[in-house]
Amino acid sequence: MASHRLMAASARNAARQLASTATRSSTSVASTAPRSQFRNPNFVLGIGSGLVLAGLHSATGSANDFYDYRFKSPKDADDLASFYGGEELMELYCVFPIVGQIMMRSATFDDTGGIKTQGFPGTMEVNMVFSDDVNEDTGETDWFNKRERFKNTLFGYTLWDMVINFGFQTKDDGSRECYHAGEYFHGNVPILSQVMLLIFKVHSRWVVWSTEHHVNHYAFSSGTTDEEEEMEEESRANMPLFLLKNYAWSDLTAMLFGYKEGDLSRAEKQPSFLLLGGKDSEKDELPFQKKAIQIRISEDIEADKQAMKALSSKYCPEDVKKILARRATIARRRTNAKHEVSGDEDDVDVDEEAAATSDVYVMATELAADRAMRRMTRRPTIAATN
């Protein structure tokens, strides 16, 4: 019996020693595992690179007020409003005609009245809203703002989201200042966001320069000579080719042989406004940067969405397209001031086949102008009832 007890006690002691050894061994492995990972240079390099990339993306992948360019124009206020509210600006924005054809000619309407078109990469959603105000004393447009949002998605994920504003304002001295301003750019994909932000910054400089060149020298030449109208169309439709055709060759010959009196490229040649612009501190607050106007723009956006939802709920998709085509026709005629158009949409004849194949972006621009016109006519009525 004593021998049996002794053997049992020995077995228990051996089991306890074995369990204690296993516990110490597991604790030692658990405590040394993280140390061995952090001693691995590849692991440390990977963690460090990820943190650096995340920090760089957070600092450089998004930006607010990422550009602000302005220039003065002697043109008529209503002409400027018509330009910034029409398709002419987008022709300059696309730089080359083929870009406009790829981006806008293949675009389609979505359920909210916005545009879906080719993205970079994926799909790009484009939404715009027009806001303006009329000077009660002169009857002219006091300021005009076109707010345009570009949202690029891929497989439902937002790659980048950007809002830009175009327009003009009348200064206290009566002069008119046109502006192109980047409200914000929010990127969600490292490297791609930085690349796209840089591209849009460079692109914005070209757009504002070409816009100033077109508006102040060639735009609004309707009713003048055929040559001036041709120059206006070439300047708007393909500015790089226009510059190459009318400026580059004469500049080259001027450098080699001296320029002739009356050369187009030398006429009233002055340094670019991009070089002569004042400091940021000297710039006045733009209309869309004022709190009251921001609230109004937000209300305009919401009103446009509600109007489109009401239209979609009341009519089938085909009828909605016909109604939109009518409204686009009305807006175009009002803008061109060539026809007297009543407020009754049924009185406007629309070629359905032409509407089905028309440029969706042009239609969207005209509809944005139509919605702005409807809001302007409603505001005095609402104010009077209140």
Side-chain angles (χ1 to χ4, degrees):
M1 289 294 291
S3 62
H4 285 296
R5 290 194 191 96
L6 184 61
M7 290 177 61
S10 299
R12 285 195 296 272
N13 289 335
R16 279 196 292 269
Q17 289 178 358
L18 196 61
S20 177
T21 302
T23 301
R24 285 197 301 271
S25 177
S26 62
T27 304
S28 175
V29 171
S31 62
T32 58
R35 295 178 186 175
S36 63
Q37 287 289 344
F38 281 105
R39 288 173 183 169
N40 185 341
N42 292 332
F43 177 79
V44 175
L45 181 62
I47 292 295
S49 300
L51 292 174
V52 170
L53 185 61
L56 285 174
H57 177 69
S58 177
T60 63
S62 299
N64 294 326
D65 301 321
F66 60 102
Y67 68 82
D68 182 352
Y69 297 121
R70 311 182 189 190
F71 64 89
K72 289 189 176 181
S73 177
K75 301 298 183 179
D76 179 75
D78 292 333
D79 285 340
L80 290 174
S82 175
F83 170 80
Y84 278 108
E87 63 176 302
E88 292 85 357
L89 173 64
M90 186 50 60
E91 290 184 288
L92 290 168
Y93 187 84
C94 290
V95 184
F96 297 103
I98 190 172
V99 177
Q101 292 172 5
I102 293 174
M103 288 182 58
M104 299 306 170
R105 303 312 191 251
S106 58
T108 57
F109 279 115
D110 62 15
D111 295 336
T112 62
I115 302 171
K116 286 190 176 181
T117 185
Q118 179 65 44
F120 301 102
T123 302
M124 184 163 61
E125 301 173 14
V126 184
N127 291 278
M128 68 185 79
V129 61
F130 296 169
S131 302
D132 58 5
D133 203 359
V134 176
N135 188 311
E136 295 181 357
D137 296 330
T138 63
E140 292 184 334
T141 305
D142 195 41
W143 60 265
F144 176 90
N145 187 81
K146 174 183 180 181
R147 185 181 191 270
E148 198 156 13
R149 182 182 182 186
F150 300 87
K151 183 179 178 182
N152 203 107
T153 60
L154 181 65
F155 304 122
Y157 181 76
T158 301
L159 302 182
W160 51 265
D161 186 2
M162 177 178 69
V163 170
I164 51 181
N165 290 271
F166 305 98
F168 77 93
Q169 62 177 342
T170 303
K171 312 254 313 168
D172 293 337
D173 60 2
S175 62
R176 296 181 183 91
E177 181 182 64
C178 300
Y179 60 83
H180 296 198
E183 186 173 332
Y184 70 75
F185 178 92
H186 294 164
N188 297 319
V189 179
I191 301 179
L192 175 65
S193 299
Q194 283 78 2
V195 170
M196 295 305 300
L197 180 57
L198 178 61
I199 289 174
F200 284 124
K201 284 183 176 180
V202 174
H203 173 256
S204 66
R205 258 182 105 79
W206 165 264
V207 172
V208 72
W209 181 88
S210 60
T211 300
E212 187 275 339
H213 190 79
H214 175 75
V215 166
N216 285 346
H217 295 89
Y218 301 105
F220 320 121
S221 60
S222 177
T224 57
T225 65
D226 292 340
E227 182 180 358
E228 289 177 336
E229 289 186 1
E230 183 179 352
M231 294 282 284
E232 187 276 334
E233 183 177 356
E234 290 179 357
S235 169
R236 168 174 42 83
N238 194 337
M239 178 62 79
L241 180 61
F242 177 80
L243 295 176
L244 184 65
K245 176 181 176 182
N246 295 288
Y247 286 81
W249 175 249
S250 58
D251 279 354
L252 178 62
T253 55
M255 179 183 67
L256 297 175
F257 309 110
Y259 69 93
K260 296 180 180 180
E261 198 71 29
D263 271 358
L264 178 63
S265 63
R266 297 288 172 172
E268 302 178 357
K269 192 169 185 179
Q270 297 177 351
S272 170
F273 70 96
L274 292 171
L275 301 177
L276 298 177
K279 298 179 180 179
D280 291 341
S281 58
E282 299 175 355
K283 292 182 177 179
D284 296 331
E285 197 174 33
L286 294 172
F288 75 91
Q289 294 172 334
K290 299 175 182 178
K291 188 63 177 178
I293 303 301
Q294 289 176 351
I295 295 174
R296 177 172 164 181
I297 291 175
S298 299
E299 291 174 349
D300 291 345
I301 294 172
E302 185 60 29
D304 289 352
K305 289 181 179 179
Q306 294 300 324
M308 192 63 195
K309 287 181 180 178
L311 199 64
S312 300
S313 63
K314 189 176 180 181
Y315 301 98
C316 67
E318 288 301 319
D319 289 339
V320 168
K321 187 161 187 176
K322 292 177 183 178
I323 293 172
L324 294 179
R326 288 195 193 98
R327 292 182 178 178
T329 302
I330 292 172
R332 180 169 60 253
R333 293 180 181 178
R334 281 174 177 162
T335 302
N336 294 336
K338 292 180 179 179
H339 302 274
E340 292 292 334
V341 181
S342 66
D344 188 359
E345 295 170 5
D346 295 330
D347 294 338
V348 181
D349 295 328
V350 177
D351 187 341
E352 295 182 9
E353 183 178 353
T357 59
S358 63
D359 184 343
V360 172
Y361 184 85
V362 174
M363 279 187 62
T365 303
E366 292 166 348
L367 289 170
D370 176 70
R371 291 193 295 265
M373 180 72 69
R374 290 168 182 266
R375 287 194 298 270
M376 284 185 65
T377 56
R378 283 199 300 265
R379 283 192 180 109
T381 305
I382 295 174
T385 56
N386 292 336

